[in-house]
Every structure is written in structure tokens, then in C-alpha cells.
Amino acid sequence: EDANHNIWIGTNGFGLIRHSPSTGVFERMPHNRAVVPAGSAHIQALLFDVRQGLWVASETGIALIDTADGHPLRSLSFGGDDDASRTRVRQLRVTADGTLWAATSTGLWRLAPQTDALQRVDANRIASAYALLVEHDGELAVATADGVYRINATGADERIWPLDGDQMVNAMAQDNHGRLWLAIPHQGLALVDLASGGATQWLKPISGMAGSLPDAIVTQLEIDQSGLLWIGTIERGLVKVDPNGT
């Protein structure tokens, strides 16, 4: 949703669509005003940045568009190698300093303010990034195949969970108490309290128990303005949870 309350929709094969709730009109952005490199019609991620505009990601790169008329302001490529052409962009986030971050199948990328190229971050440790979270204190957390890393302004990392072993994490949210909710494939949710040394509570499906997690495969996590946690699952749809009851 942009500042004018228009809804922007990224599609797999039909490009970018703008919906005006006030008129009910759906408008497809023409390909000759393509908002991504090479005019890709396969949109993978969207992020509205109130300071700059709408960031739009495809397998070929990321672009910034003007939400007033859809024309591109910037267009950035992941690079010219073979891997870049197959990049899967999973999530975009912007930190307080204006840096754009992208979690992708080819790792963590960033676009720092006043720069003109996407930069790969910590390629030796983060080969693939699944989700991003801007924490309450402004720090950036990155979900990977072996755990969650915190990234500082210089791009250096620190693994914050798990403390021992590896755990793949594919979605994250932070509740009003500062606790991290982590989606662990086929295992459910891990509730992590970093203020208590990383103490972890597991929430898993329990057959026949009312109110338990309905699916072990969680794909999306989001905390709304009221503090409720919304859980997207692979087979059981959408579920809401009050974190204060956990």
C-alpha cells in the first residue's frame, strides 16, 4: 500500500498491477514502462518506501518506481553471471539509514544510500537468505539455512540463534515484548527471547488439541498494529495468535 492508499500487486507472469480501492479499478503497468530490468513480468517482492517510492524485485534485479504514474526512477541488476539470472528475491526491507536490503536465493544484497549498485553482503557465510526483519532497535536480522544472523551497518554478521547447531529459518517476526517468532520448516514455530539468553519455546501442531499450531510448515509471519501475530501456513491457511497469551 502506498501513501495514497493504492494497493500494488506483483504477479507471476502478468507484471505489476495497481489497485485503487476508492474507484475499484485495477491498472496494469505497461511493459514499455517496465519497472524491473529487462521488463520482467515475474514480480517476486514489493516494498513501499515512504521516502523514495515503490521497490519492485524480479529475478533480474530491483527497480524503484514513482507510485504516481508507475514510471521507473532507478533500475539495478544483480550482476551478469549465470547465478544472477536465476535469483529468487524473497523479501525486501529498508533500514532507518535508508539502506535497501534484499533476501535472495543468491544471498543477502544491499543498496546503500547514494550508491548505484547492489552489493553482495557476507557471501562466505550467507549463501542464501530467506527472510529479513528490522528489529525494534533498528538492527537487521537475516534468516538463513543455518539460523538467524544480525547484520551491522558495515555488513559484518553475528549469529544470534541457535547458539548451538543449525536450524533453517524461513520467516520471522518480533512481538511487542521484543521476542522473535521464527518459522522452522516442518517443525512449527520457535519463540526466542534474546533478553533471556536466547531461551527458546517451541510451538508445534498437536493432533486433537484445540488451539495448537495447525500446520508445521509456516510460510509467513507478521505482527499487526494491535500486536497480534498472523501466521501463514502451507495447507491450513491463515491463523492469528495473541503473543501475550504465550
Side-chain angles (χ1 to χ4, degrees):
E1 183 180 8
D2 64 25
N4 294 317
H5 305 294
N6 293 312
I7 306 298
W8 292 83
I9 305 166
T11 72
N12 186 19
F14 204 67
L16 186 65
I17 296 170
R18 180 173 60 189
H19 171 58
S20 172
S22 62
T23 65
V25 172
F26 288 84
E27 177 189 6
R28 184 186 185 192
M29 296 294 102
H31 274 197
N32 61 0
R33 286 156 56 191
V35 297
V36 290
S40 172
H42 302 279
I43 309 300
Q44 298 180 342
L46 300 173
L47 178 68
F48 178 65
D49 181 351
V50 68
R51 291 170 294 189
Q52 299 190 68
L54 183 70
W55 293 102
V56 182
S58 77
E59 73 279 7
T60 54
I62 301 174
L64 177 67
I65 72 165
D66 186 336
T67 56
D69 59 10
H71 80 268
L73 301 172
R74 304 179 70 180
S75 185
L76 307 153
S77 172
F78 288 115
D81 56 35
D82 291 338
D83 287 339
S85 66
R86 297 189 297 272
T87 297
R88 168 65 177 162
V89 181
R90 295 172 173 133
Q91 198 163 41
L92 302 173
R93 287 289 184 266
V94 173
T95 44
D97 64 354
T99 299
L100 174 72
W101 299 84
T104 81
S105 59
T106 56
L108 179 65
W109 297 75
R110 72 175 173 184
L111 177 68
Q114 286 79 54
T115 60
D116 295 318
L118 291 165
Q119 176 190 13
R120 182 90 180 271
V121 178
D122 202 5
N124 291 331
R125 296 190 67 177
I126 304 178
S128 183
Y130 292 89
L132 300 172
L133 173 69
V134 180
E135 299 179 77
H136 297 334
D137 61 4
E139 297 285 345
L140 182 77
V142 184
T144 74
D146 61 84
V148 178
Y149 290 82
R150 184 174 285 147
I151 309 296
N152 66 24
T154 66
D157 69 73
E158 172 196 6
R159 196 168 84 166
I160 58 175
W161 189 88
L163 300 180
D164 298 304
D166 295 338
Q167 284 283 2
M168 180 178 176
V169 179
N170 64 352
M172 299 185 293
Q174 187 175 33
D175 65 24
N176 292 338
H177 300 287
R179 300 174 302 178
L180 299 183
W181 294 76
L182 309 177
I184 314 300
H186 304 284
Q187 296 189 54
L189 296 178
L191 175 56
V192 181
D193 188 350
L194 296 177
S196 298
T200 302
Q201 178 182 350
W202 288 89
L203 291 84
K204 301 184 178 185
I206 301 175
S207 180
M209 177 178 288
S212 72
L213 189 67
D215 195 334
I217 306 179
V218 174
T219 57
Q220 295 289 336
L221 295 171
E222 191 74 34
I223 300 286
D224 68 19
Q225 293 181 350
S226 71
L228 292 177
L229 173 67
W230 292 84
I231 304 170
T233 68
I234 196 72
E235 293 182 343
R236 298 297 183 89
L238 188 63
V239 180
K240 67 177 178 179
V241 174
D242 182 359
N244 293 323
T246 304

